[in-house]
Amino acid sequence: MFWMNLMQFPLNLAGSDPTFIFRIDASMIMPLVGVAVAGLSIHYCLTNAFRCGDAMIVIPMDFLRVPLIALIGWMLYGEHLDAFVFAGAALIIAGVLWNVRGEAQRSNSSSNSSARPAPPARPRSSRPSSA
């Protein structure tokens, strides 16, 4: 998590205004702290998800946050959802399901191939070989 934040910090500074720190009001400090804590919490949770699960499952589930955030914006903030939002969400969900299904089939086929019994050993002759 430390290295992820260390790499992202300069990239975020490169795309921002260097004088933004001087325009922060006292009323903006708590929301900024909330965004910072939420961002660090997300990185912590994602790091733990990679520890506990396979990346082929974790990453597709991470992509689901885009349509979910669109729904949250619609429910809580009255954001307008148009056909492009639904088309994008359908594309993301279809891709996630396709990847998860493909990974499940690959893991099933590999577990079936490893579950096959080994071929019987050839019997050894009791005669000494002539050399």
Side-chain angles (χ1 to χ4, degrees), residues 2-117:
F2 170 76
W3 294 109
M4 187 175 0
N5 285 308
L6 186 68
M7 288 182 345
Q8 288 179 355
F9 182 68
L11 295 173
N12 288 328
L13 286 180
S16 67
D17 181 12
T19 63
F20 78 95
I21 194 79
F22 301 116
R23 292 188 299 239
I24 295 177
D25 292 335
S27 65
M28 295 171 71
I29 290 177
M30 287 308 290
L32 284 175
V33 168
V35 168
V37 168
L40 288 173
S41 299
I42 289 168
H43 284 175
Y44 178 74
C45 291
L46 189 60
T47 303
N48 281 336
F50 281 123
R51 275 191 209 139
C52 297
D54 186 18
M56 290 297 293
I57 302 297
V58 173
I59 292 297
M61 295 303 145
D62 186 43
F63 285 133
L64 286 177
R65 71 185 153 141
V66 176
L68 292 176
I69 287 174
L71 287 175
I72 289 172
W74 171 71
M75 288 189 313
L76 298 179
Y77 302 110
E79 291 284 328
H80 177 68
L81 299 178
D82 58 4
F84 293 114
V85 172
F86 290 111
L91 189 64
I92 290 170
I93 291 170
V96 165
L97 291 175
W98 185 346
N99 285 334
V100 169
R101 184 175 155 260
E103 181 61 25
Q105 287 177 346
R106 274 191 291 278
S107 66
N108 282 342
S109 67
S110 68
S111 67
N112 288 340
S113 65
S114 65
R116 282 191 230 152

